[in-house]
Structure formats: structure tokens, C-alpha cells
Amino acid sequence: MSEIMDTDSVELMLDYVDVLQIGARNMQNFSLLKKLSKVDKPLLLKRGIAATFEEWLMAAEYLLSGGNEQVILCERGVRTFSDHSRNTLDLNVVPLVRQVSHLPIIADPSHGVGKRERVRSMSRAAIASGAHGLIVETHTDPSTSYSDADQTIGVDRLRGIIRDVALLAELEDLFEQKSDSAVA
Amino acid sequence: MSEIMDTDSVELMLDYVDVLQIGARNMQNFSLLKKLSKVDKPLLLKRGIAATFEEWLMAAEYLLSGGNEQVILCERGVRTFSDHSRNTLDLNVVPLVRQVSHLPIIADPSHGVGKRERVRSMSRAAIASGAHGLIVETHTDPSTSYSDADQTIGVDRLRGIIRDVALLAELEDLFEQKSDSAVA
Amino acid sequence: MSEIMDTDSVELMLDYVDVLQIGARNMQNFSLLKKLSKVDKPLLLKRGIAATFEEWLMAAEYLLSGGNEQVILCERGVRTFSDHSRNTLDLNVVPLVRQVSHLPIIADPSHGVGKRERVRSMSRAAIASGAHGLIVETHTDPSTSYSDADQTIGVDRLRGIIRDVALLAELEDLFEQKSDSAVA
Amino acid sequence: MSEIMDTDSVELMLDYVDVLQIGARNMQNFSLLKKLSKVDKPLLLKRGIAATFEEWLMAAEYLLSGGNEQVILCERGVRTFSDHSRNTLDLNVVPLVRQVSHLPIIADPSHGVGKRERVRSMSRAAIASGAHGLIVETHTDPSTSYSDADQTIGVDRLRGIIRDVALLAELEDLFEQKSDSAVA
């Protein structure tokens, strides 16, 4: 998967990547969205840094209305007054997406919390809230990571996350993800 | 447990309640904090609606420095631009509290997300992120609840949350809650 | 004028101060508001750090409903993601107060912007937006100010602000402060 | 002036418009910024809806570094918790731009406050804070305006703003816009 930066590079990337990622800064780059809506590749649509839920789903609608049905939503944290984390990972959207949309929703705890020490806990929280998957920045030697080193984890932590998620996945069928209007 | 509203009612409440709750609006009511720091009851300190992590821990310090060591922190959502939930439950603080403080931390998904349909999912997320407990608004007939009806759940949902939390609790020992500086 | 910190000190202060200031942290300290609503002194009600317009006016209503009619509103900046100023002085409320309320509204550019170099410009902006007055932190030797030194100005800057405000006041009658429904 | 939506339409617009406006959603559309940095037209760079001061100036740097020196900054309001205005016009940036940058800064009170009744007051505030100009949405019949009708003013209000600004401009030389390090 690779982040797409502009309309010109779409064709170039098609031969090499499996999933095209629309970054938070491009969530409302409508000319890019229109072009990608015609592409036969899965699209990962990150939530904009200050996007409302409605704006995010409207951006997904641009992709869907052009014919691309392989759209994945990704919560990656929003910008708030809070300064203890890089962004504020807003997991509150996860059950809402599951309630009102048919689209899969994943979480990016690396950008969301922005601190290596908390990525594992927030990965667990994301899955427990109902997320269908995770995107986690990992590096064989995180301290030498070219970008976002503070939030990049090493292979040992990734192994821990995979193990935690596997444990949670076994509980998944026991949880009721959908709101049940029959239950108050 | 009952929310304490002012210094005058502290004595009155002591004979009747098990835990005194300091509401979000009172987190920096320093005269109240000073009075409660002398009380022999557990104190639940809710995070202010726009309180930074540091301000919140400094408020706890007021309670501790007066001699009351039974302080519990409670994340209950902060105010952001986001309008899909009543507040933005900021679970990102949970692993940070566990990393830097000895105080227990619980979450209030009812105020955090503010919508009955999402309380159960966010309860799971809170526990999975490392919270030591939950405070959940429940009513035998939620639609007739005097206040906060939208976020109040019924007994069936509460039963579901208790079951989910019990399942997650079994995994607790398998999760590593503390940041491990030996692991990158 | 002096900031009132708790209900116990109200009586003590009455003999010494001309105006009682209700600080941002106390805007929703309802037991304090109730007590002050019975006092025969002007009250300056600062907007809470994350208070909506409605919450602010409801707090003023507490004061008015108890019989104190000498209520002054004070915009002092709100907490946002923005990090270039201490708070975000939200002058957008000023014309709204003038439109929907009979209460006078003043601005606190010192807390609002939090930087000495910008207090004078924001003082002008506040008056031009329709504010009835200003509260400006001043010290004969600002760098030795006990608290909030970064935002405290010296006597020369205060003199400049007074001069600017006098110039703007002459234009006041030429400006239309009230919304005129006859004008689109 | 017209808002540029994507890289493909740059050439088309060059023959028809005097100023190219880079909208808030495109402030970090770096491929668009790079292309515009080579164009011989003035560029109006709106602040992104949740852009920090530094991010905004870095976006301007993209334009300047490509050789286009005709860059104008435009504050148009940021997204906060506050719900009494469409956005929160953050005039606190105006004196900061004048302090640290050589670029001209204008304000967009129409998007900033988003309510017709307050555009005139915020126009005055913007100029008084040091803004070099304004961009105001106007329509001969605002209620039939195709977009943003709530914030669009009519010709009478525009005439009032022009009169107010002319009055303020006469005071401009009397105000000290620059921070004076000699004055505490």
C-alpha cells in the first residue's frame, strides 16, 4: 500500500501497489477522488484531520459514485486542543460506521496517538470497539525510521499486537457489534 | 456514588455515599478539591471538558497532597469540533495514565459518546485500552430517565457489557499494559 | 476588581473590591453563581475555556435570576487546536452578544492571545468588533510580574491602547453595531 | 478572482482571472502548490480549516520557493468546538503575521463567522487588528445566492463596510502595527 499524492501519479502507481491510500490532507481533494473512483484497486480513505463524520462519508460517496466499490475507511486521529498525543484517535466513530454504513473501517493508532509506547494499547482498543483492521507503522529499526520515528514500532511490538488481536478476534462473535433496536 | 456540587454539601454526603464524584465542571474548583483532600472517602476525579492531561493530574495532586490517597481518575470525553458524538471519549489517555501514574483510571463511555447504541462498543474499547473500570449510566426504563436519557442504557445492555468485560478480563494478563522500554 | 475563588471569600471581598470577577474555571460553579446572584456588586463573568455561547449566557442567567442585574460578560479566549496563541480570543461572540443580549460585553486580550506583542492589536480589534470595554493585564515592570508575565504589558503599551481606543470611540457612532434586518 | 480546484484547470484559468485563490481544503495539496509556484499571477492562500500557523506559513513557502512572490495570506476561520459561528475567525494570527512575515494578510469574515448579521462587525475587527484587506461575499440579492447564502451580504451592507474601513484606514498611521521591542 502506498499513499497517493496527486492525480498525475495514479497511473504510475497502479502497476506496483495493492491498495491506494488517500491521505488525510487529500480527503477533500475532489479531483483526486473523482479520478480514483474509476480505478480498479482498493482505496483506503483516511479521515481528514478536522473532518466531521458526514464530510468523511461524503468523500467516500465520491469514490463509490464513480464506480469503485472497494472503499475502506480509516480513522487516524483528529486535531483537538489535547496535547498529550499527536492526534486524538477518535474510536467513537467505529461503532457509528458499523451502524450506518456497509463500508469496512480500520484504525491507524500510529498516527492517532503518535507515541510508540501507546500503539499496542490503542490497537487493542480499536479492535475491541469494532474496527475490522489496523494499519500500524513498523520498522526493523524504529529509531532510524526516516519519518514519524516517534510513532513507529519495532518487530517485537508488532508481534505483540498480532497476538493481542488474535485473542480479541476469538471474542468477536460473542460481542454484539450492531446496535440492536430491540435492546434498550 | 454521587456527584458533589459544592463545599457545603460535603459533610452531608459523607454519611450516605461510598464514593464522592468530582464532576468535569469542578475539576479545577480548587476550594472544593482542598476540602475533599481531607475526607476519608474515595474520590472519583472526572477530567474537565477541555482539560489537558497535565491539568488533570495536577488536580489529582491537590487531592493527594491533602492526604486523601483514594483518588480514581475518570476519562469522560472532551469537547472537540466533532459532532457525531456528545463528547470525544479520549481513550488515548488511558495507556498514558498507566505509564506515568500509580492512580487507577476508569472510563465513562455514557458521557463520552453520549449515544445509547455505542456505549457497549466503547465500554469494550475502554477496557481493552487498559482502563481499570467503567461507570455506565443505566436505568430500568432508559427512555423515562430524568437526565441524559439519550446515553442511558437499559438492564439488558448492561448485562451485555458485564459479559463482554468479563471476557476481556480473562485476556488481561496476556496483554502487556505497561510500556516496556526493552521492547522497541 | 478581584477574582473570586470560592463561596467562603465572598463576604470578605465585598468591603474591598468594586467588581467581583468570576474566572473561566468558575463559570459553571453553580453554588458560587447562586451566592453571587444575591450580592450588590457588579459581576464580571468570564467565558469558560470551552464554553458554548449558550452555556455562557445560561451562567449569566443564574446571576440575573437571583436578582443581581449588574452582570458584565467577558470574552477571554477559548481552547482550540491552535498553538500560536495562549488561547483563541473569539471576537465573533461580540456582535452576537450585542444582537441577542442587553448585557455589556468586554474583552480580555491579555489572556486571549497571551503574548505581550499582540495585546495592543487585539485590543483595537475587540473595540472595533463592538466590545464595550477591555481588561488588560498591566504592570509597571512586566518582566517581574508574579503571574502571566508573557502577556502582561507595561505602562507605555497601556498608554498606546488607551489612545487607540479613544480614536476608535470617536468612530463608534458612525458604525452600526446592531444588526439591521432592513438591510440585507 | 476565482478558486482553483485542481492542477488541470490552472492553465485554463490564467487567461481569465486576476488572482488565483487556493481554498482551505487545498492548503496542503502540495502538487497544486508546486504548480502554482511557477505561475505569474497573484495567489491567495487561505488557511486550512485546522492548520497551525506554522503549517500555513510552510504552505506559503512552497509557493515562494518556486519563484512566485505574489503570495497573499487569508485567514478564513478555523474549526473549533464553538457552534455559535460557522467557523471561528482567528484574528489573533493577524498581528503575528505582521510581526514575523513580509507577506500581506487579509481576512474573510464571511466564511469566518458565517452569519450575514455579523460580517460588518468582524470586517471592522479584522482591519483594526492589522489586516491589509478583506474578502467579503456579496450578492445583489443575497437570499437567492447559489452557495453560502447565510453569510452573503447585499450591496447596502457592503457599502457600509467600505465606509467603515475607510474611516479605520485614516487611523492606520496612528496605530503601531509592529511590535516594538523598545516598548514593554
Side-chain angles (χ1 to χ4, degrees):
Chain A
M1 180 169 61
S2 189
E3 184 175 344
I4 184 105
M5 296 306 287
D6 54 54
T7 49
D8 295 342
S9 48
V10 172
E11 276 77 21
L12 178 68
M13 292 173 74
L14 286 181
D15 290 339
Y16 302 96
V17 303
D18 296 314
V19 177
L20 291 168
Q21 175 184 313
I22 302 156
R25 290 185 190 81
N26 276 319
M27 193 200 83
Q28 292 187 314
N29 183 340
F30 296 114
S31 58
L32 179 62
L33 297 183
K34 270 183 237 169
K35 188 153 189 179
L36 291 172
S37 73
K38 304 293 185 191
V39 158
D40 185 24
K41 286 275 183 193
L43 303 173
L44 186 71
L45 180 65
K46 289 203 158 189
R47 182 179 177 190
I49 204 158
T52 64
F53 184 73
E54 193 180 345
E55 289 170 342
W56 191 22
L57 259 64
M58 286 300 113
E61 212 54 50
Y62 259 79
L63 300 173
L64 294 166
S65 67
N68 190 327
E69 297 186 345
Q70 301 171 281
V71 178
I72 305 160
L73 298 172
C74 179
E75 162 62 31
R76 47 76 75 204
V78 289
R79 192 165 271 178
T80 72
F81 72 88
S82 196
D83 58 1
H84 67 85
S85 50
R86 182 176 177 187
N87 295 296
T88 299
L89 187 68
D90 179 16
L91 293 178
N92 308 276
V93 296
V94 176
L96 184 56
V97 169
R98 294 194 64 146
Q99 190 180 333
V100 305
S101 169
H102 70 289
L103 297 174
I105 165 86
I106 72 170
D108 173 355
S110 307
H111 280 85
V113 69
K115 305 286 181 187
R116 192 181 295 164
E117 293 76 13
R118 291 189 259 164
V119 170
R120 189 168 172 183
S121 297
M122 296 313 290
S123 294
R124 282 196 295 263
I127 296 296
S129 75
H132 296 92
L134 297 170
I135 174 170
V136 182
E137 287 201 81
T138 313
H139 196 282
T140 50
D141 185 6
S143 59
T144 64
S145 175
Y146 180 72
S147 75
D148 296 331
D150 281 356
Q151 70 196 40
T152 300
I153 62 169
V155 175
D156 282 351
R157 272 215 174 86
L158 181 63
R159 215 173 267 133
I161 291 174
I162 292 170
R163 201 194 58 177
D164 293 353
V165 169
L167 291 168
L168 287 168
E170 292 178 23
L171 302 182
E172 176 80 351
D173 293 340
L174 302 171
F175 295 155
E176 287 166 37
Q177 293 296 353
K178 286 181 197 152
S179 80
D180 184 354
S181 56
V183 179
Chain B
M1 180 167 62
S2 188
E3 183 174 344
I4 183 104
M5 296 306 285
D6 53 55
T7 50
D8 295 342
S9 48
V10 172
E11 276 77 22
L12 178 68
M13 292 172 74
L14 285 180
D15 291 339
Y16 301 97
V17 302
D18 296 312
V19 178
L20 291 168
Q21 173 183 315
I22 302 155
R25 289 185 190 81
N26 276 318
M27 193 200 82
Q28 293 188 312
N29 183 340
F30 296 114
S31 58
L32 179 62
L33 298 183
K34 268 182 240 171
K35 186 152 192 181
L36 291 172
S37 74
K38 305 292 186 193
V39 157
D40 185 26
K41 285 280 180 187
L43 304 173
L44 185 73
L45 180 64
K46 289 206 157 187
R47 182 179 178 189
I49 204 157
T52 64
F53 184 72
E54 194 181 343
E55 289 170 342
W56 190 23
L57 260 64
M58 286 302 113
E61 211 54 49
Y62 259 79
L63 300 173
L64 295 165
S65 68
N68 189 327
E69 297 185 346
Q70 300 172 280
V71 179
I72 305 160
L73 298 172
C74 180
E75 161 64 29
R76 46 77 74 206
V78 289
R79 193 165 272 180
T80 72
F81 71 89
S82 196
D83 58 1
H84 66 84
S85 49
R86 181 175 177 188
N87 294 294
T88 300
L89 186 70
D90 179 16
L91 293 178
N92 308 275
V93 296
V94 176
L96 184 57
V97 169
R98 295 195 64 145
Q99 190 181 333
V100 305
S101 170
H102 70 288
L103 296 174
I105 164 86
I106 73 170
D108 174 354
S110 307
H111 280 85
V113 68
K115 305 286 180 188
R116 192 181 295 166
E117 293 76 12
R118 290 189 259 164
V119 170
R120 188 167 173 184
S121 298
M122 296 313 290
S123 294
R124 283 197 293 264
I127 296 296
S129 74
H132 296 93
L134 298 170
I135 175 171
V136 181
E137 287 200 81
T138 313
H139 196 283
T140 48
D141 184 6
S143 58
T144 64
S145 175
Y146 180 70
S147 75
D148 296 331
D150 281 355
Q151 70 196 38
T152 299
I153 62 170
V155 176
D156 282 351
R157 272 214 173 85
L158 182 64
R159 214 173 268 134
I161 291 175
I162 292 170
R163 200 194 58 176
D164 293 354
V165 169
L167 291 168
L168 286 167
E170 291 177 26
L171 303 182
E172 177 80 352
D173 293 339
L174 301 171
F175 295 154
E176 288 166 38
Q177 295 294 355
K178 286 180 195 154
S179 80
D180 183 356
S181 58
V183 179
Chain C
M1 181 168 61
S2 190
E3 183 175 344
I4 184 106
M5 297 306 286
D6 52 54
T7 49
D8 295 341
S9 48
V10 172
E11 277 75 23
L12 179 67
M13 292 171 74
L14 286 180
D15 289 340
Y16 302 97
V17 303
D18 296 313
V19 178
L20 291 168
Q21 175 184 313
I22 302 156
R25 289 184 191 82
N26 277 318
M27 193 199 84
Q28 293 187 315
N29 182 340
F30 296 113
S31 57
L32 180 61
L33 297 183
K34 270 183 240 171
K35 187 154 191 177
L36 291 171
S37 74
K38 304 293 185 191
V39 157
D40 185 25
K41 285 277 181 188
L43 304 173
L44 186 71
L45 180 65
K46 289 204 159 189
R47 182 179 177 190
I49 205 158
T52 64
F53 185 72
E54 194 181 343
E55 288 170 342
W56 190 23
L57 259 65
M58 285 302 112
E61 211 55 48
Y62 260 78
L63 301 172
L64 295 165
S65 67
N68 190 327
E69 297 186 345
Q70 299 171 282
V71 178
I72 305 160
L73 298 171
C74 179
E75 161 64 30
R76 46 77 75 206
V78 288
R79 192 164 272 178
T80 71
F81 71 88
S82 197
D83 58 2
H84 67 84
S85 50
R86 182 177 176 185
N87 294 295
T88 299
L89 187 69
D90 179 16
L91 293 178
N92 308 278
V93 295
V94 176
L96 183 57
V97 169
R98 295 195 62 146
Q99 190 180 333
V100 304
S101 169
H102 70 288
L103 296 174
I105 163 88
I106 72 170
D108 173 354
S110 306
H111 280 85
V113 69
K115 305 284 180 189
R116 192 183 294 164
E117 293 77 12
R118 292 189 257 165
V119 170
R120 188 166 173 185
S121 297
M122 295 315 289
S123 294
R124 283 196 294 264
I127 296 297
S129 74
H132 297 93
L134 297 171
I135 173 170
V136 181
E137 286 200 80
T138 313
H139 196 282
T140 49
D141 184 6
S143 58
T144 65
S145 176
Y146 179 71
S147 76
D148 295 332
D150 280 356
Q151 71 196 39
T152 300
I153 63 170
V155 175
D156 282 353
R157 272 214 173 87
L158 181 64
R159 213 173 268 131
I161 291 174
I162 292 170
R163 201 194 58 178
D164 293 354
V165 169
L167 291 168
L168 286 167
E170 292 178 24
L171 302 182
E172 177 80 349
D173 294 339
L174 301 172
F175 295 155
E176 287 166 37
Q177 295 295 355
K178 287 182 196 152
S179 80
D180 184 353
S181 56
V183 179
Chain D
M1 180 168 63
S2 189
E3 184 174 345
I4 183 107
M5 296 306 286
D6 53 54
T7 50
D8 295 341
S9 49
V10 172
E11 276 78 22
L12 179 69
M13 291 172 74
L14 286 180
D15 290 340
Y16 302 96
V17 304
D18 296 313
V19 178
L20 291 168
Q21 174 184 313
I22 301 156
R25 290 185 190 80
N26 277 318
M27 193 201 84
Q28 293 188 313
N29 182 341
F30 296 113
S31 58
L32 179 63
L33 298 183
K34 270 183 238 171
K35 188 153 190 179
L36 291 172
S37 74
K38 304 294 185 190
V39 157
D40 186 25
K41 285 279 181 188
L43 303 173
L44 186 73
L45 181 64
K46 290 204 157 186
R47 182 180 178 190
I49 205 159
T52 65
F53 185 71
E54 193 181 344
E55 288 171 341
W56 189 23
L57 260 64
M58 285 301 114
E61 211 55 50
Y62 258 79
L63 300 173
L64 295 164
S65 67
N68 190 327
E69 298 186 343
Q70 301 171 281
V71 178
I72 305 160
L73 297 172
C74 179
E75 161 64 28
R76 45 79 75 206
V78 289
R79 191 166 273 179
T80 72
F81 71 88
S82 196
D83 58 1
H84 67 83
S85 51
R86 181 176 176 186
N87 294 294
T88 299
L89 188 69
D90 179 16
L91 293 178
N92 307 277
V93 297
V94 175
L96 183 57
V97 168
R98 294 194 64 144
Q99 190 179 334
V100 305
S101 169
H102 70 288
L103 296 174
I105 165 85
I106 73 170
D108 174 355
S110 306
H111 280 85
V113 70
K115 305 285 180 188
R116 193 182 293 163
E117 292 76 13
R118 292 189 259 164
V119 170
R120 188 168 173 184
S121 297
M122 296 314 290
S123 295
R124 284 196 294 263
I127 295 297
S129 74
H132 296 94
L134 297 170
I135 173 170
V136 181
E137 287 200 81
T138 313
H139 196 282
T140 48
D141 184 6
S143 59
T144 64
S145 177
Y146 179 72
S147 74
D148 296 332
D150 280 356
Q151 70 196 39
T152 300
I153 62 170
V155 175
D156 282 352
R157 272 214 173 85
L158 181 64
R159 215 173 266 133
I161 291 173
I162 292 170
R163 202 194 58 177
D164 293 352
V165 169
L167 291 167
L168 287 167
E170 290 177 27
L171 302 182
E172 176 80 352
D173 294 338
L174 301 172
F175 295 153
E176 288 166 38
Q177 294 294 354
K178 287 181 195 153
S179 80
D180 184 356
S181 56
V183 178

